[in-house]
Amino acid sequence: MKKQQIGVIGLAVMGKNLALNIADHGYSVAVYNRTPDKTNELSKEYGDKDIMGFNSLKEFANSLDTPRRIILMVKAGEAVDDTIHKLLPYLDKGDILMDGGNSYYLDTMRRSKELEEKGFYYLGTGISGGEEGARKGPAIMSGGAREAYDRFEPVLTAISAKVGQDACSTYIGENGAGHFVKMVHNGIEYADMQLISEAYSIMKHVLGLSPEQLHDIFDQWNQGELNSYLIAITAKIFQKKDEPGGGYLVDKILDVAGQKGTGKWTGQISLDLGAPTPTITAAVYERYLSAMKEERVTANRLLRGADTLKQKPEELIESIRKALYASKICAYAQGFGLLKNASSLYHWNLSYSEIAKIFRGGCIIRAQFLNQITLAYEKNPELKNLLFEDYFSGILNNYQKEWRETITTAINYGIPVPGFSSSLAYYDSYRSAELPINLLQAQRDFFGAHTYERKDKEGIFHTQWEE
């Protein structure tokens, strides 16, 4: 019996499309799903492809070339551990398991250690691009033993998105590095989407623009420095009509957002690692606030907002564009700052230029200006913060007038812009040679004898603040 080259476990949207992508690139694939229906449907629908479906893990494992290369596309958490536990009896030492889901990076580090002690390889691999990316070419971020990645590399390079001659797939680092980078990618994605939504909100409520007008604006923005996947799909969203009821679909969608946890993890871990990510965290909080729909409706009746002001001229649109770009730069700076702290703590030796390079295609945050981030880190791999790079500091210096005016306008109209505001606060805090934390330290020493340092002399001091 002919052996298959790659195994895929889990045939939900991502797993199914990844299996098809692998088959399209000349590899034979074995597939397994916990419920047989999906396996049978795939085999029936795509009988022309070299994909063999199995309804038992033993048969699935026996069908594969050794050392086996198996991709797990199951829900993060207990399902991954359960699948590994059930699969291990049918594997041989040296086989490679690749977790392609959104697993928590500390779980990946634990699994890597446990499996390596038993003689197996484990790759924690972030895969970004959603359904379309999985089918046509995602961005791929692999972490684990280098020799395991090298065995998987030809497959991952083949199925990944391409930007010119560059494959959007790379080796990130040991154990949990791949999933950590994917988590930060998703955190940046949260911030990016929130910032775009705030730009939309200001134009809708201050200028009264229709979806048709908003389509034209976002389509135009996508031709310039804001060119990105998220700007492009936003323009398309504003075009979509609601056929049954008339009007535009975006106006009919309930303002309650879902999430799968990676944005929350990014905010939590940024606190653990001491890496400020206020824009990313504000975006997560806004999703939580959106879920409080009933309370917000009540608050809208009880709590007064800003008085109606005279509408600003349409030059405001250009100011919003500049505010969006400046805020976006700060969000990416925060994300890469978090990567830098994690790389230092876990000794991953991350290549920020390579990470920026693979983000350019396939993934959700793909954007033209990632070329500038790539160049910045190629020029200076030890760059402490993206805001120190001439291109980005130049943009922020030149755009901050419009950035501040946009936020002021939103505040005067009572329009919440936590993303724009937290980005500006990050920028202003980061560029402040002196912060009011001297007073905060005095307060801590007053009530808790936490001590403080002085500007004018060395040492640790404590003061008896009152008799």
Side-chain angles (χ1 to χ4, degrees), residues 183-194:
M183 177 196 71
V184 174
H185 163 282
N186 285 21
I188 294 172
E189 176 188 311
Y190 273 54
D192 217 340
M193 295 170 71
Q194 177 64 31

Side-chain angles (χ1 to χ4, degrees), residues 35-323:
T35 54
D37 289 350
K38 290 185 182 294
T39 308
N40 298 335
E41 287 171 12
L42 180 62
S43 300
K44 184 177 180 180
E45 186 177 357
Y46 295 95
D48 58 323
K49 298 187 183 297
D50 194 351
I51 299 177
M52 297 179 64
F54 297 90
N55 292 326
S56 85
L57 282 173
K58 182 177 181 179
E59 292 175 349
F60 165 82
N62 289 339
S63 76
L64 291 168
D65 266 340
T66 55
R68 297 174 179 85
R69 292 175 289 179
I70 299 172
I71 303 175
L72 307 180
M73 298 299 295
V74 299
K75 187 177 179 181
E78 291 182 9
V80 177
D81 290 312
D82 184 57
T83 302
I84 292 171
H85 175 73
K86 291 177 178 175
L87 181 62
L88 282 187
Y90 310 118
L91 301 184
D92 299 312
K93 290 183 178 181
D95 289 349
I96 306 168
L97 295 181
M98 187 184 103
D99 178 5
N102 279 332
S103 287
Y104 187 50
Y105 81 101
L106 291 177
D107 286 340
T108 301
M109 293 173 77
R110 169 181 57 80
R111 291 172 187 138
S112 295
K113 184 174 183 295
E114 291 172 353
L115 287 170
E116 285 173 12
E117 288 172 352
K118 295 176 181 178
F120 303 102
Y121 289 106
Y122 192 72
L123 288 175
T125 301
I127 299 177
S128 177
E131 179 180 358
E132 181 183 2
R135 186 70 181 87
K136 299 179 181 178
I140 303 175
M141 300 144 251
S142 293
R146 183 73 202 219
E147 55 267 39
Y149 171 77
D150 289 341
R151 291 187 201 169
F152 243 116
E153 182 273 329
V155 183
L156 302 180
T157 297
I159 67 172
S160 68
K162 309 295 186 297
V163 176
Q165 298 299 312
D166 297 328
C168 295
S169 174
T170 193
Y171 176 71
I172 299 294
E174 293 289 329
N175 46 65
H179 276 141
F180 191 93
V181 169
K182 175 56 164 58
M183 177 196 71
V184 174
H185 163 282
N186 285 21
I188 294 172
E189 176 188 311
Y190 273 54
D192 217 340
M193 295 170 71
Q194 177 64 31
L195 293 168
I196 292 170
S197 298
E198 290 176 16
Y200 150 67
S201 181
I202 298 170
M203 289 187 283
K204 176 181 178 180
H205 295 295
V206 175
L207 299 177
L209 300 184
S210 67
E212 188 175 355
Q213 292 170 309
L214 289 163
H215 159 75
D216 293 340
I217 290 166
F218 276 90
D219 189 55
Q220 183 181 354
W221 286 359
N222 198 46
Q223 310 311 312
E225 60 192 5
L226 276 172
N227 173 265
S228 66
Y229 173 73
L230 285 171
I231 293 290
I233 67 168
T234 301
K236 292 177 181 177
I237 286 168
F238 286 125
Q239 269 189 317
K240 186 70 173 177
K241 294 284 187 69
D242 183 34
E243 300 299 344
Y248 288 89
L249 180 58
V250 69
D251 291 331
K252 308 291 176 65
I253 296 175
L254 185 67
D255 59 326
V256 174
Q259 60 174 312
K260 293 188 176 179
T262 46
K264 179 183 72 175
W265 293 345
T266 307
Q268 290 172 331
I269 292 159
S270 73
L271 291 170
D272 293 338
L273 300 188
T277 58
T279 310
I280 293 170
T281 308
V284 177
Y285 280 140
E286 201 67 2
R287 293 199 188 191
Y288 287 141
L289 269 166
S290 79
M292 300 161 65
K293 176 69 173 178
E294 193 173 319
E295 292 179 51
R296 290 189 290 114
V297 171
T298 302
N300 180 257
R301 293 195 300 265
L302 297 176
L303 304 177
R304 181 180 172 185
D307 293 329
T308 302
L309 304 174
K310 184 179 179 181
Q311 282 193 349
K312 294 279 185 180
E314 293 210 6
E315 285 79 8
L316 177 60
I317 294 172
E318 176 62 6
S319 293
I320 296 169
R321 185 191 71 80
K322 290 181 176 180

Side-chain angles (χ1 to χ4, degrees), residues 169-172 351-359 374 378:
S169 174
T170 193
Y171 176 71
I172 299 294
S351 171
Y352 310 109
S353 60
E354 284 298 308
I355 291 168
K357 189 179 289 185
I358 65 170
F359 282 174
T374 301
E378 284 179 345

Side-chain angles (χ1 to χ4, degrees), residues 314-388:
E314 293 210 6
E315 285 79 8
L316 177 60
I317 294 172
E318 176 62 6
S319 293
I320 296 169
R321 185 191 71 80
K322 290 181 176 180
L324 176 56
Y325 196 46
S327 298
K328 180 186 179 85
I329 289 170
C330 287
Y332 278 70
Q334 293 164 30
F336 276 83
L338 179 55
L339 291 177
K340 198 172 185 67
N341 282 26
S343 183
S344 176
L345 176 65
Y346 296 114
H347 309 290
W348 284 334
N349 194 28
L350 298 182
S351 171
Y352 310 109
S353 60
E354 284 298 308
I355 291 168
K357 189 179 289 185
I358 65 170
F359 282 174
R360 295 179 303 160
C363 69
I364 303 302
I365 65 170
R366 60 186 183 266
Q368 176 180 284
F369 98 126
L370 280 159
N371 288 315
Q372 296 292 341
I373 298 179
T374 301
L375 291 172
Y377 283 115
E378 284 179 345
K379 185 166 71 174
N380 181 7
E382 302 303 318
L383 185 67
K384 288 188 178 297
N385 190 303
L386 280 176
L387 306 193
F388 288 166

